[in-house]
Amino acid sequence: MRKVIALAGNPNVGKSTVFNHLTGLRQHTGNWAGKTVECVSGTCKRGSTVYEFVDLPGCYSLSSHSREEEIARDYICLEGPDAVVVVCDATCLERNLILLLQIMEITPKVVLCVNLLDEAKKKKIHVDLQKLSGELHIPVIGCSARSGEGVEQILDAIESLQEKSKEQTGIVHQACLESVDPFVKRARKLCERAVVYEKAEYDRKDRMLDCLFTGRVTGFLVLFLFLFGIFWITAAGANIPSAYLQKGAFWLEEKLIEGAVFLGISPAAYEPIICGAYRVLSWVVSVMLPPMAIFFPLFTLLEDFGYLPRVAFNLDKCFQKCRACGKQALTMCMGFGCNAVGVTGCRIIDSPRERMIAILTNSFVPCNGRFPTMLALLSLFFVGSTGAATDSVLAAVCLSFVILFGVGMTLLVSRILSGTILKGMPSAFTLELPPYRCPQVGRVLINSILNRTLYVLGRAVLVAAPAGLFIWVLANVQTKDVSILQHCVTFLDPFGRMIGLDGVILMAFILGMPANEIVLPIILMTYLCQGNLQDISDIYLIKQILTENGWTWLTALNTILFSLLHWPCGTTCLTIRKETGSVKWMALAILIPTGVGVFICFLNTTVVNFVTGML
């Protein structure tokens, strides 16, 4: 026997955590409204019955004011699940019961799961489950899904449901669901009878933290400090494992070459694979994996703690003034890890116009792949590379200001787009500030490494190997005694120097489109006239190579700016094509940041040269 069970509930009530415990899946639970925008299913078996659980998007009602509400309502009404389990938060039950009462208007086969009883106990909130069950005439169970306590009782409650005829389940009139007031009144009366608050100011601690994290002045200061802290820990912690990975990868490369020579394989056959595809692949892994393995867990800890919705709250007014959606702040935060993930996250924005603005501007915040180049150049030309602890701190501070500049460009370009090709007024949206929760470090590490780090790394690996082969061909195939790569560099050089760069730098960015991590290695390879990426770990030698080829602090600054403001990587471009269903929008997503980057570099070069000439 197979039964389909729908899981419904408000955002941030632990619904997806309940789903994970029941099905054994490890779907990531976002701590903001609208993270789940599609129905995800999983199964579990008890006896002869197979239960298919469908995790519906979190929503506050079924009045279809948002995409999440439409998906949840249509599934319950049209798909006719065998039962609906409504997950509610024990710490704010009154608001959660509104959705439950609306669902009970659609189907009588409902189970109420009161989650987060552990948090309610800490806040001296007591919920009488038996009284709720008696008042609602449905099974009511309590659980603490984070620890798994009581989750199995959901299956008992589903089995206890009496069989009811299909005629009782059907579509109710929209007008019935639109009239929210009766549901609000009944929810209030239910809570008055079944919920006891021992402490009148049970949420005082949360409100005090909100004064700090969302204050007009302190909110942005804390945001900058968190941003700095994440970048500093990432920069300081990634160097050692990255060096070991790189050393191991090049050791393996030597063994592969020795093996190829021993087998009598021609260099023309093994060099493109080993010195081209494998070397670029190993460079991407060694440079990209350690920062991601540090950055994503730190970012997820803030998310699990409940801080990211506060970031959206702080930036909401900024995006509203730009006539964009405040949810764009959330998709922008996702872009720090990977712009492709940020583009996919734009699904949480209901308005097609505002969703497009968020997609087109997501690459203005640098992804994890651009951090190594920026940090290296900041350390070489603006901070110092003595190895002192203050160097990494100063580099993180400088990088934080570069990131803030990217956020500013996001706001500026969003305003320009909303006033030109994507005209319109900003839409309103409901943003819930969830309670602060102690992050589950173990679960965060597993989710961030498996669901984020390895996922993003896997996509980079898929494009890095073919890119390495292509770069090797350009660098080694010659016409008129000059490689194709050098011909391209010569062609691009006049334009590059006009914007404070050179042909080598521009060509490196073009070839680095599949993976931004290889931009600096390509620059070094081209300056040295080598046919392969070079393993140069000595930071003093890197600076010497760059300065001998005409680099100044202005060149480094323009390279940092262009790294921040240029076309998205290949993976992000393909994601934009998939999300928008249009090559035109993908082309625009490439042209907009590139145009801005060229203009900023040209303006910066012109102003600096003018001031220098005056002095």
Side-chain angles (χ1 to χ4, degrees), residues 138-354:
I138 61 171
V140 177
I141 63 103
C143 73
S144 300
R146 284 182 133 196
S147 61
E149 182 181 350
V151 175
E152 286 295 321
Q153 296 178 19
I154 294 176
L155 296 176
D156 297 331
I158 294 171
E159 291 175 355
S160 71
L161 284 173
Q162 296 181 356
E163 291 294 331
K164 301 189 178 182
S165 64
K166 292 287 184 180
E167 289 82 10
Q168 288 179 283
T169 303
I171 302 175
V172 298
H173 293 292
Q174 181 68 22
C176 175
L177 296 181
E178 290 286 356
S179 304
V180 181
D181 288 345
F183 300 113
V184 174
K185 292 177 183 178
R186 190 180 176 197
R188 184 178 298 116
K189 290 180 180 179
L190 285 169
C191 286
E192 288 174 355
R193 298 169 187 167
V195 182
V196 177
Y197 298 89
E198 285 189 16
K199 293 173 60 177
E201 297 182 352
Y202 65 90
D203 59 347
R204 182 182 178 184
K205 184 178 179 181
D206 286 1
R207 302 292 74 81
M208 290 175 64
L209 289 174
D210 279 339
C211 289
L212 174 66
F213 292 149
T214 62
R216 289 187 177 182
V217 177
T218 58
F220 287 97
L221 178 60
V222 171
L223 174 59
F224 177 81
L225 291 176
F226 272 130
L227 196 66
F228 157 74
I230 288 176
F231 292 142
W232 175 67
I233 295 173
T234 302
N239 291 333
I240 295 177
S242 182
Y244 277 112
L245 280 173
Q246 197 167 337
K247 184 178 180 180
F250 276 91
W251 175 85
L252 180 59
E253 179 184 321
E254 292 176 0
K255 297 303 179 183
L256 290 173
I257 293 175
E258 290 176 4
V261 172
F262 177 78
L263 294 174
I265 301 175
S266 170
Y270 72 74
E271 284 188 357
I273 304 300
I274 299 177
C275 300
Y278 172 79
R279 183 169 291 187
V280 171
L281 178 62
S282 61
W283 192 292
V284 169
V285 172
S286 61
V287 173
M288 189 175 181
L289 180 58
M292 281 200 305
I294 298 173
F295 178 85
F296 278 135
L298 292 175
F299 197 77
T300 309
L301 283 173
L302 289 181
E303 177 185 327
D304 210 39
F305 175 61
Y307 179 67
L308 290 193
R310 274 78 185 177
V311 175
F313 178 84
N314 290 333
L315 295 176
D316 178 54
K317 290 184 179 180
C318 300
F319 280 103
Q320 289 288 321
K321 289 180 180 180
C322 297
R323 297 184 180 179
C325 179
K327 285 183 179 180
Q328 188 174 338
L330 299 173
T331 64
M332 184 178 67
C333 288
M334 296 180 204
F336 284 127
C338 174
N339 292 127
V341 175
V343 169
T344 303
C346 293
R347 297 174 185 175
I348 68 175
I349 301 176
D350 300 314
S351 166
R353 180 190 71 86
E354 294 171 342

Side-chain angles (χ1 to χ4, degrees), residues 445-479:
L445 290 175
I446 293 173
N447 283 334
S448 59
I449 292 175
L450 294 181
N451 296 344
R452 291 187 174 184
T453 303
L454 295 183
Y455 174 69
V456 175
L457 182 65
R459 291 194 304 185
V461 164
L462 288 176
V463 297
L469 184 61
F470 180 68
I471 293 169
W472 187 92
V473 171
L474 290 181
N476 289 274
V477 176
Q478 297 187 346
T479 59

Side-chain angles (χ1 to χ4, degrees), residues 4-251:
V4 178
I5 312 298
L7 279 176
N10 289 186
N12 307 311
V13 298
K15 177 172 54 63
S16 294
T17 306
V18 172
F19 172 80
N20 290 339
H21 273 287
L22 288 169
T23 63
L25 297 181
R26 290 295 177 263
Q27 181 188 343
H28 177 61
T29 306
N31 208 14
W32 58 73
K35 178 68 182 293
T36 309
V37 294
E38 294 179 348
C39 299
V40 181
S41 64
T43 60
C44 72
K45 187 176 182 181
R46 176 183 262 197
S48 60
T49 304
V50 175
Y51 293 97
E52 179 182 355
F53 287 93
V54 180
D55 185 14
L56 300 178
C59 59
Y60 295 99
S61 72
L62 300 180
S63 53
S64 69
H65 288 151
S66 69
R67 185 184 177 192
E68 292 86 359
E69 293 171 356
E70 288 180 2
I71 293 173
R73 184 203 61 194
D74 291 347
Y75 186 87
I76 295 172
C77 291
L78 303 178
E79 299 298 326
D82 294 289
V84 180
V85 176
V86 181
V87 183
C88 293
D89 183 350
T91 63
C92 49
L93 193 58
E94 181 178 330
R95 185 190 65 219
N96 289 202
L97 288 177
I98 296 172
L99 176 65
L100 169 75
L101 295 172
Q102 286 185 317
I103 291 175
M104 290 177 64
E105 289 290 323
I106 298 175
T107 174
K109 294 178 288 185
V110 180
V111 172
L112 171 59
C113 172
V114 181
N115 190 25
L116 301 173
L117 286 178
D118 51 344
E119 291 191 14
K121 184 178 180 180
K122 293 177 182 177
K123 296 181 178 181
K124 306 296 182 182
I125 301 174
H126 302 282
V127 181
D128 191 330
L129 302 178
Q130 291 185 349
K131 185 169 289 186
L132 268 179
S133 180
E135 294 281 348
L136 293 167
H137 304 291
I138 61 171
V140 177
I141 63 103
C143 73
S144 300
R146 284 182 133 196
S147 61
E149 182 181 350
V151 175
E152 286 295 321
Q153 296 178 19
I154 294 176
L155 296 176
D156 297 331
I158 294 171
E159 291 175 355
S160 71
L161 284 173
Q162 296 181 356
E163 291 294 331
K164 301 189 178 182
S165 64
K166 292 287 184 180
E167 289 82 10
Q168 288 179 283
T169 303
I171 302 175
V172 298
H173 293 292
Q174 181 68 22
C176 175
L177 296 181
E178 290 286 356
S179 304
V180 181
D181 288 345
F183 300 113
V184 174
K185 292 177 183 178
R186 190 180 176 197
R188 184 178 298 116
K189 290 180 180 179
L190 285 169
C191 286
E192 288 174 355
R193 298 169 187 167
V195 182
V196 177
Y197 298 89
E198 285 189 16
K199 293 173 60 177
E201 297 182 352
Y202 65 90
D203 59 347
R204 182 182 178 184
K205 184 178 179 181
D206 286 1
R207 302 292 74 81
M208 290 175 64
L209 289 174
D210 279 339
C211 289
L212 174 66
F213 292 149
T214 62
R216 289 187 177 182
V217 177
T218 58
F220 287 97
L221 178 60
V222 171
L223 174 59
F224 177 81
L225 291 176
F226 272 130
L227 196 66
F228 157 74
I230 288 176
F231 292 142
W232 175 67
I233 295 173
T234 302
N239 291 333
I240 295 177
S242 182
Y244 277 112
L245 280 173
Q246 197 167 337
K247 184 178 180 180
F250 276 91
W251 175 85

